[in-house]
Amino acid sequence: MMKKYAVLPVLLVLAACSVKSVTPDTPAQVDPREHDARSVAAEAEPIAGTILTGLSVGDYAAYSRDFDENLRNAITAEKFAVLKEKFAKTIGVYEAGKSQINKIETYRDCYKIYYFVKFSRVQASDPVIMTVKVVKTPNGLKVSDLTYSHA
């Protein structure tokens, strides 16, 4: 008789654990800032691809297509040629399709997107980091700063 009563609390606990919650499932809420950052990253992806392709083939018009006026004035065609030559000697050329977003930083008036980029003379485990600073304009995103770093 005692064994029957000892089993009863165990059965009650198991039954309580297996009962589904009576509150309906609600979808996970996405932070609007996260949604905005993902949207900007998706819009910036082809811009970054055009920058890298323009750099690898030496096409300044493509490279600077999405620059704002200040950046276009800072990175002239002459400076672009020097940069391309320097990269060819040090890190090599961009390997098409081998870039990925590492992180996105959201600021009040801009976004910084950090890309891991594979160049021919660097190991995949030690990529070049390309930082693209973009701002929203009525005509879409514009690149307002662009830097490269490598250890």
Side-chain angles (χ1 to χ4, degrees):
M1 189 76 154
M2 186 65 137
K3 288 184 182 180
K4 287 183 183 179
Y5 292 117
V7 173
L8 186 60
V10 172
L11 289 176
L12 288 174
V13 168
L14 289 175
C17 291
S18 66
V19 173
K20 187 173 174 157
S21 173
V22 292
T23 59
D25 291 335
T26 57
Q29 297 297 317
V30 177
D31 183 345
R33 294 171 299 186
E34 176 74 16
H35 178 71
D36 188 48
R38 289 176 188 256
S39 173
V40 167
E43 189 177 344
E45 193 74 24
I47 293 171
T50 300
I51 289 169
L52 291 166
T53 301
L55 178 62
S56 69
V57 299
D59 183 350
Y60 177 73
Y63 182 77
S64 63
R65 181 184 76 193
D66 295 297
F67 288 4
D68 68 8
E69 187 177 338
N70 291 333
L71 188 58
R72 193 171 286 114
N73 290 335
I75 304 176
T76 62
E78 294 78 24
K79 290 180 181 177
F80 168 75
V82 170
L83 177 71
K84 183 178 178 352
E85 184 68 26
K86 177 184 173 187
F87 278 16
K89 291 178 181 176
T90 57
I91 60 175
V93 296
Y94 166 62
E95 295 182 2
K98 294 190 177 179
S99 68
Q100 69 180 32
I101 293 176
N102 175 39
K103 71 177 178 176
I104 305 166
E105 293 177 349
T106 303
Y107 297 91
R108 185 175 48 83
D109 60 345
C110 68
Y111 301 83
K112 280 189 177 180
I113 306 169
Y114 297 83
Y115 293 88
F116 285 154
V117 182
K118 174 69 174 88
F119 282 79
S120 60
R121 290 188 172 185
V122 298
Q123 298 297 318
S125 60
D126 186 28
V128 172
I129 298 173
M130 179 177 77
T131 305
V132 180
K133 180 180 172 185
V134 295
V135 294
K136 287 184 176 181
T137 71
N139 298 325
L141 295 179
K142 288 293 179 188
V143 179
S144 64
D145 194 22
L146 177 65
T147 61
Y148 304 89
S149 61
H150 186 255

mmCIF file of all heavy atoms in Angstrom, residues 52 55 86-96 98-99 115-130 148-151:
data_model
loop_
_atom_site.group_PDB
_atom_site.id
_atom_site.type_symbol
_atom_site.label_atom_id
_atom_site.label_comp_id
_atom_site.label_asym_id
_atom_site.label_seq_id
_atom_site.Cartn_x
_atom_site.Cartn_y
_atom_site.Cartn_z
ATOM 1 N N LEU A 52 35.254 46.299 -54.021
ATOM 2 C CA LEU A 52 36.314 45.290 -54.111
ATOM 3 C C LEU A 52 36.593 44.883 -55.558
ATOM 4 O O LEU A 52 37.759 44.717 -55.951
ATOM 5 C CB LEU A 52 35.945 44.073 -53.266
ATOM 6 C CG LEU A 52 35.974 44.333 -51.759
ATOM 7 C CD1 LEU A 52 35.283 43.213 -50.999
ATOM 8 C CD2 LEU A 52 37.404 44.521 -51.283
ATOM 9 N N LEU A 55 38.468 47.684 -57.237
ATOM 10 C CA LEU A 55 39.861 47.667 -56.792
ATOM 11 C C LEU A 55 40.651 46.582 -57.513
ATOM 12 O O LEU A 55 41.754 46.822 -57.992
ATOM 13 C CB LEU A 55 39.926 47.457 -55.277
ATOM 14 C CG LEU A 55 41.315 47.373 -54.653
ATOM 15 C CD1 LEU A 55 42.085 48.677 -54.855
ATOM 16 C CD2 LEU A 55 41.201 47.057 -53.163
ATOM 17 N N LYS A 86 50.082 49.488 -54.357
ATOM 18 C CA LYS A 86 50.566 49.100 -53.026
ATOM 19 C C LYS A 86 49.976 47.760 -52.606
ATOM 20 O O LYS A 86 50.687 46.882 -52.109
ATOM 21 C CB LYS A 86 50.213 50.178 -52.007
ATOM 22 C CG LYS A 86 50.615 49.837 -50.589
ATOM 23 C CD LYS A 86 50.156 50.904 -49.611
ATOM 24 C CE LYS A 86 50.427 50.459 -48.188
ATOM 25 N NZ LYS A 86 49.868 51.377 -47.203
ATOM 26 N N PHE A 87 48.678 47.593 -52.801
ATOM 27 C CA PHE A 87 48.027 46.333 -52.446
ATOM 28 C C PHE A 87 48.588 45.177 -53.262
ATOM 29 O O PHE A 87 48.808 44.095 -52.742
ATOM 30 C CB PHE A 87 46.516 46.431 -52.635
ATOM 31 C CG PHE A 87 45.782 47.072 -51.493
ATOM 32 C CD1 PHE A 87 46.436 47.818 -50.527
ATOM 33 C CD2 PHE A 87 44.414 46.947 -51.386
ATOM 34 C CE1 PHE A 87 45.761 48.407 -49.479
ATOM 35 C CE2 PHE A 87 43.716 47.532 -50.340
ATOM 36 C CZ PHE A 87 44.391 48.262 -49.380
ATOM 37 N N ALA A 88 48.810 45.396 -54.554
ATOM 38 C CA ALA A 88 49.342 44.332 -55.419
ATOM 39 C C ALA A 88 50.688 43.825 -54.888
ATOM 40 O O ALA A 88 50.975 42.626 -54.945
ATOM 41 C CB ALA A 88 49.483 44.838 -56.847
ATOM 42 N N LYS A 89 51.484 44.728 -54.338
ATOM 43 C CA LYS A 89 52.809 44.348 -53.831
ATOM 44 C C LYS A 89 52.762 43.745 -52.433
ATOM 45 O O LYS A 89 53.641 42.967 -52.082
ATOM 46 C CB LYS A 89 53.725 45.575 -53.804
ATOM 47 C CG LYS A 89 54.109 46.070 -55.170
ATOM 48 C CD LYS A 89 54.981 47.304 -55.069
ATOM 49 C CE LYS A 89 55.350 47.829 -56.447
ATOM 50 N NZ LYS A 89 56.122 49.074 -56.357
ATOM 51 N N THR A 90 51.788 44.120 -51.644
ATOM 52 C CA THR A 90 51.767 43.680 -50.247
ATOM 53 C C THR A 90 50.755 42.573 -49.958
ATOM 54 O O THR A 90 51.138 41.486 -49.524
ATOM 55 C CB THR A 90 51.496 44.875 -49.310
ATOM 56 O OG1 THR A 90 50.274 45.495 -49.679
ATOM 57 C CG2 THR A 90 52.632 45.891 -49.372
ATOM 58 N N ILE A 91 49.480 42.832 -50.188
ATOM 59 C CA ILE A 91 48.452 41.835 -49.828
ATOM 60 C C ILE A 91 47.884 41.107 -51.042
ATOM 61 O O ILE A 91 47.133 40.155 -50.887
ATOM 62 C CB ILE A 91 47.313 42.466 -49.002
ATOM 63 C CG1 ILE A 91 46.612 43.593 -49.759
ATOM 64 C CG2 ILE A 91 47.831 42.947 -47.663
ATOM 65 C CD1 ILE A 91 45.399 44.173 -49.048
ATOM 66 N N GLY A 92 48.238 41.549 -52.236
ATOM 67 C CA GLY A 92 47.760 40.885 -53.446
ATOM 68 C C GLY A 92 46.464 41.490 -53.954
ATOM 69 O O GLY A 92 46.147 42.638 -53.677
ATOM 70 N N VAL A 93 45.732 40.687 -54.684
ATOM 71 C CA VAL A 93 44.463 41.153 -55.265
ATOM 72 C C VAL A 93 43.299 40.452 -54.561
ATOM 73 O O VAL A 93 43.439 39.354 -54.038
ATOM 74 C CB VAL A 93 44.387 40.899 -56.796
ATOM 75 C CG1 VAL A 93 45.438 41.706 -57.531
ATOM 76 C CG2 VAL A 93 44.532 39.428 -57.109
ATOM 77 N N TYR A 94 42.169 41.119 -54.587
ATOM 78 C CA TYR A 94 40.961 40.577 -53.982
ATOM 79 C C TYR A 94 40.543 39.311 -54.709
ATOM 80 O O TYR A 94 40.516 39.259 -55.940
ATOM 81 C CB TYR A 94 39.846 41.628 -54.054
ATOM 82 C CG TYR A 94 38.465 41.102 -53.779
ATOM 83 C CD1 TYR A 94 38.122 40.548 -52.557
ATOM 84 C CD2 TYR A 94 37.472 41.170 -54.757
ATOM 85 C CE1 TYR A 94 36.852 40.072 -52.309
ATOM 86 C CE2 TYR A 94 36.192 40.704 -54.514
ATOM 87 C CZ TYR A 94 35.892 40.151 -53.285
ATOM 88 O OH TYR A 94 34.624 39.686 -53.054
ATOM 89 N N GLU A 95 40.222 38.281 -53.957
ATOM 90 C CA GLU A 95 39.730 37.033 -54.524
ATOM 91 C C GLU A 95 38.205 37.110 -54.558
ATOM 92 O O GLU A 95 37.554 37.098 -53.507
ATOM 93 C CB GLU A 95 40.223 35.838 -53.716
ATOM 94 C CG GLU A 95 41.734 35.681 -53.797
ATOM 95 C CD GLU A 95 42.252 34.466 -53.051
ATOM 96 O OE1 GLU A 95 41.442 33.688 -52.479
ATOM 97 O OE2 GLU A 95 43.480 34.298 -53.028
ATOM 98 N N ALA A 96 37.674 37.221 -55.761
ATOM 99 C CA ALA A 96 36.238 37.465 -55.972
ATOM 100 C C ALA A 96 35.366 36.523 -55.150
ATOM 101 O O ALA A 96 35.592 35.312 -55.110
ATOM 102 C CB ALA A 96 35.897 37.348 -57.447
ATOM 103 N N LYS A 98 35.087 36.376 -51.972
ATOM 104 C CA LYS A 98 35.627 35.965 -50.675
ATOM 105 C C LYS A 98 35.674 37.141 -49.704
ATOM 106 O O LYS A 98 36.729 37.631 -49.327
ATOM 107 C CB LYS A 98 37.004 35.332 -50.846
ATOM 108 C CG LYS A 98 36.940 34.032 -51.612
ATOM 109 C CD LYS A 98 38.234 33.289 -51.578
ATOM 110 C CE LYS A 98 38.092 31.964 -52.297
ATOM 111 N NZ LYS A 98 39.337 31.232 -52.306
ATOM 112 N N SER A 99 34.476 37.581 -49.351
ATOM 113 C CA SER A 99 34.346 38.598 -48.305
ATOM 114 C C SER A 99 33.088 38.279 -47.519
ATOM 115 O O SER A 99 32.144 37.683 -48.045
ATOM 116 C CB SER A 99 34.258 39.998 -48.915
ATOM 117 O OG SER A 99 33.048 40.168 -49.610
ATOM 118 N N TYR A 115 34.156 44.091 -42.825
ATOM 119 C CA TYR A 115 34.190 42.906 -43.677
ATOM 120 C C TYR A 115 35.520 42.190 -43.511
ATOM 121 O O TYR A 115 36.570 42.837 -43.448
ATOM 122 C CB TYR A 115 34.061 43.288 -45.157
ATOM 123 C CG TYR A 115 32.722 43.860 -45.541
ATOM 124 C CD1 TYR A 115 32.472 45.224 -45.439
ATOM 125 C CD2 TYR A 115 31.698 43.044 -46.015
ATOM 126 C CE1 TYR A 115 31.241 45.758 -45.793
ATOM 127 C CE2 TYR A 115 30.473 43.574 -46.371
ATOM 128 C CZ TYR A 115 30.251 44.937 -46.255
ATOM 129 O OH TYR A 115 29.032 45.455 -46.608
ATOM 130 N N PHE A 116 35.490 40.864 -43.466
ATOM 131 C CA PHE A 116 36.691 40.062 -43.626
ATOM 132 C C PHE A 116 36.839 39.854 -45.128
ATOM 133 O O PHE A 116 35.905 39.377 -45.784
ATOM 134 C CB PHE A 116 36.564 38.700 -42.945
ATOM 135 C CG PHE A 116 36.687 38.740 -41.445
ATOM 136 C CD1 PHE A 116 36.085 37.769 -40.684
ATOM 137 C CD2 PHE A 116 37.418 39.721 -40.793
ATOM 138 C CE1 PHE A 116 36.203 37.769 -39.300
ATOM 139 C CE2 PHE A 116 37.547 39.737 -39.417
ATOM 140 C CZ PHE A 116 36.932 38.752 -38.665
ATOM 141 N N VAL A 117 38.006 40.199 -45.671
ATOM 142 C CA VAL A 117 38.215 40.124 -47.113
ATOM 143 C C VAL A 117 39.472 39.307 -47.387
ATOM 144 O O VAL A 117 40.525 39.540 -46.789
ATOM 145 C CB VAL A 117 38.369 41.535 -47.728
ATOM 146 C CG1 VAL A 117 38.541 41.452 -49.226
ATOM 147 C CG2 VAL A 117 37.174 42.413 -47.369
ATOM 148 N N LYS A 118 39.360 38.382 -48.317
ATOM 149 C CA LYS A 118 40.491 37.526 -48.697
ATOM 150 C C LYS A 118 41.197 38.129 -49.904
ATOM 151 O O LYS A 118 40.603 38.347 -50.948
ATOM 152 C CB LYS A 118 39.984 36.118 -49.013
ATOM 153 C CG LYS A 118 41.034 35.160 -49.550
ATOM 154 C CD LYS A 118 42.063 34.793 -48.504
ATOM 155 C CE LYS A 118 43.021 33.722 -48.980
ATOM 156 N NZ LYS A 118 44.190 34.214 -49.668
ATOM 157 N N PHE A 119 42.485 38.415 -49.720
ATOM 158 C CA PHE A 119 43.359 38.856 -50.805
ATOM 159 C C PHE A 119 44.353 37.732 -51.080
ATOM 160 O O PHE A 119 44.632 36.900 -50.214
ATOM 161 C CB PHE A 119 44.075 40.149 -50.431
ATOM 162 C CG PHE A 119 43.213 41.383 -50.548
ATOM 163 C CD1 PHE A 119 42.294 41.703 -49.565
ATOM 164 C CD2 PHE A 119 43.325 42.222 -51.646
ATOM 165 C CE1 PHE A 119 41.496 42.835 -49.669
ATOM 166 C CE2 PHE A 119 42.531 43.358 -51.765
ATOM 167 C CZ PHE A 119 41.615 43.663 -50.769
ATOM 168 N N SER A 120 44.906 37.709 -52.269
ATOM 169 C CA SER A 120 45.707 36.576 -52.725
ATOM 170 C C SER A 120 46.976 36.318 -51.915
ATOM 171 O O SER A 120 47.425 35.178 -51.842
ATOM 172 C CB SER A 120 46.072 36.743 -54.205
ATOM 173 O OG SER A 120 46.819 37.931 -54.390
ATOM 174 N N ARG A 121 47.541 37.309 -51.288
ATOM 175 C CA ARG A 121 48.798 37.107 -50.566
ATOM 176 C C ARG A 121 48.626 36.994 -49.052
ATOM 177 O O ARG A 121 49.610 37.012 -48.314
ATOM 178 C CB ARG A 121 49.769 38.242 -50.868
ATOM 179 C CG ARG A 121 50.280 38.209 -52.282
ATOM 180 C CD ARG A 121 51.363 39.224 -52.470
ATOM 181 N NE ARG A 121 51.973 39.055 -53.775
ATOM 182 C CZ ARG A 121 53.011 39.729 -54.178
ATOM 183 N NH1 ARG A 121 53.570 40.616 -53.396
ATOM 184 N NH2 ARG A 121 53.497 39.521 -55.375
ATOM 185 N N VAL A 122 47.403 36.886 -48.586
ATOM 186 C CA VAL A 122 47.167 36.711 -47.151
ATOM 187 C C VAL A 122 46.433 35.393 -46.927
ATOM 188 O O VAL A 122 45.694 34.926 -47.790
ATOM 189 C CB VAL A 122 46.373 37.888 -46.539
ATOM 190 C CG1 VAL A 122 47.136 39.187 -46.654
ATOM 191 C CG2 VAL A 122 44.999 38.030 -47.144
ATOM 192 N N GLN A 123 46.657 34.836 -45.771
ATOM 193 C CA GLN A 123 46.000 33.583 -45.427
ATOM 194 C C GLN A 123 44.525 33.834 -45.115
ATOM 195 O O GLN A 123 44.165 34.886 -44.601
ATOM 196 C CB GLN A 123 46.676 32.953 -44.198
ATOM 197 C CG GLN A 123 48.120 32.589 -44.420
ATOM 198 C CD GLN A 123 48.282 31.531 -45.487
ATOM 199 O OE1 GLN A 123 47.518 30.561 -45.550
ATOM 200 N NE2 GLN A 123 49.263 31.713 -46.354
ATOM 201 N N ALA A 124 43.705 32.866 -45.400
ATOM 202 C CA ALA A 124 42.277 32.986 -45.105
ATOM 203 C C ALA A 124 42.047 33.171 -43.607
ATOM 204 O O ALA A 124 41.084 33.829 -43.196
ATOM 205 C CB ALA A 124 41.522 31.763 -45.607
ATOM 206 N N SER A 125 42.936 32.615 -42.790
ATOM 207 C CA SER A 125 42.797 32.746 -41.340
ATOM 208 C C SER A 125 43.228 34.127 -40.831
ATOM 209 O O SER A 125 43.040 34.442 -39.668
ATOM 210 C CB SER A 125 43.621 31.660 -40.645
ATOM 211 O OG SER A 125 44.989 31.802 -41.000
ATOM 212 N N ASP A 126 43.816 34.937 -41.711
ATOM 213 C CA ASP A 126 44.289 36.274 -41.334
ATOM 214 C C ASP A 126 43.846 37.282 -42.397
ATOM 215 O O ASP A 126 44.668 37.877 -43.086
ATOM 216 C CB ASP A 126 45.814 36.254 -41.205
ATOM 217 C CG ASP A 126 46.365 37.559 -40.682
ATOM 218 O OD1 ASP A 126 45.651 38.262 -39.948
ATOM 219 O OD2 ASP A 126 47.521 37.880 -41.016
ATOM 220 N N PRO A 127 42.525 37.486 -42.537
ATOM 221 C CA PRO A 127 42.025 38.314 -43.631
ATOM 222 C C PRO A 127 42.287 39.801 -43.428
ATOM 223 O O PRO A 127 42.573 40.257 -42.319
ATOM 224 C CB PRO A 127 40.521 38.041 -43.605
ATOM 225 C CG PRO A 127 40.238 37.754 -42.170
ATOM 226 C CD PRO A 127 41.448 37.012 -41.672
ATOM 227 N N VAL A 128 42.161 40.530 -44.509
ATOM 228 C CA VAL A 128 42.181 41.983 -44.456
ATOM 229 C C VAL A 128 40.821 42.415 -43.928
ATOM 230 O O VAL A 128 39.796 41.827 -44.260
ATOM 231 C CB VAL A 128 42.437 42.573 -45.862
ATOM 232 C CG1 VAL A 128 42.260 44.080 -45.867
ATOM 233 C CG2 VAL A 128 43.820 42.171 -46.362
ATOM 234 N N ILE A 129 40.805 43.442 -43.098
ATOM 235 C CA ILE A 129 39.538 43.970 -42.604
ATOM 236 C C ILE A 129 39.261 45.271 -43.354
ATOM 237 O O ILE A 129 40.063 46.200 -43.302
ATOM 238 C CB ILE A 129 39.564 44.214 -41.091
ATOM 239 C CG1 ILE A 129 39.793 42.892 -40.374
ATOM 240 C CG2 ILE A 129 38.266 44.875 -40.635
ATOM 241 C CD1 ILE A 129 40.014 43.013 -38.887
ATOM 242 N N MET A 130 38.174 45.268 -44.079
ATOM 243 C CA MET A 130 37.730 46.464 -44.781
ATOM 244 C C MET A 130 36.573 47.051 -43.983
ATOM 245 O O MET A 130 35.587 46.371 -43.717
ATOM 246 C CB MET A 130 37.273 46.130 -46.211
ATOM 247 C CG MET A 130 36.771 47.347 -46.979
ATOM 248 S SD MET A 130 36.296 46.981 -48.697
ATOM 249 C CE MET A 130 34.705 46.185 -48.451
ATOM 250 N N TYR A 148 41.191 50.025 -44.808
ATOM 251 C CA TYR A 148 41.653 48.636 -44.864
ATOM 252 C C TYR A 148 42.687 48.454 -43.783
ATOM 253 O O TYR A 148 43.506 49.338 -43.547
ATOM 254 C CB TYR A 148 42.300 48.332 -46.220
ATOM 255 C CG TYR A 148 41.424 48.598 -47.410
ATOM 256 C CD1 TYR A 148 41.402 49.839 -48.023
ATOM 257 C CD2 TYR A 148 40.610 47.597 -47.931
ATOM 258 C CE1 TYR A 148 40.601 50.094 -49.135
ATOM 259 C CE2 TYR A 148 39.797 47.842 -49.039
ATOM 260 C CZ TYR A 148 39.805 49.087 -49.619
ATOM 261 O OH TYR A 148 39.006 49.333 -50.706
ATOM 262 N N SER A 149 42.667 47.300 -43.126
ATOM 263 C CA SER A 149 43.718 47.015 -42.142
ATOM 264 C C SER A 149 44.092 45.551 -42.225
ATOM 265 O O SER A 149 43.279 44.687 -42.522
ATOM 266 C CB SER A 149 43.262 47.394 -40.736
ATOM 267 O OG SER A 149 42.129 46.651 -40.358
ATOM 268 N N HIS A 150 45.358 45.324 -41.950
ATOM 269 C CA HIS A 150 45.896 43.974 -41.939
ATOM 270 C C HIS A 150 47.085 43.952 -41.003
ATOM 271 O O HIS A 150 47.883 44.884 -40.986
ATOM 272 C CB HIS A 150 46.302 43.513 -43.340
ATOM 273 C CG HIS A 150 46.735 42.090 -43.387
ATOM 274 N ND1 HIS A 150 48.040 41.732 -43.508
ATOM 275 C CD2 HIS A 150 46.020 40.940 -43.306
ATOM 276 C CE1 HIS A 150 48.116 40.407 -43.491
ATOM 277 N NE2 HIS A 150 46.921 39.918 -43.367
ATOM 278 N N ALA A 151 47.191 42.909 -40.230
ATOM 279 C CA ALA A 151 48.269 42.820 -39.238
ATOM 280 C C ALA A 151 49.639 42.864 -39.826
ATOM 281 O O ALA A 151 50.022 42.711 -40.853
ATOM 282 C CB ALA A 151 48.124 41.550 -38.414
#
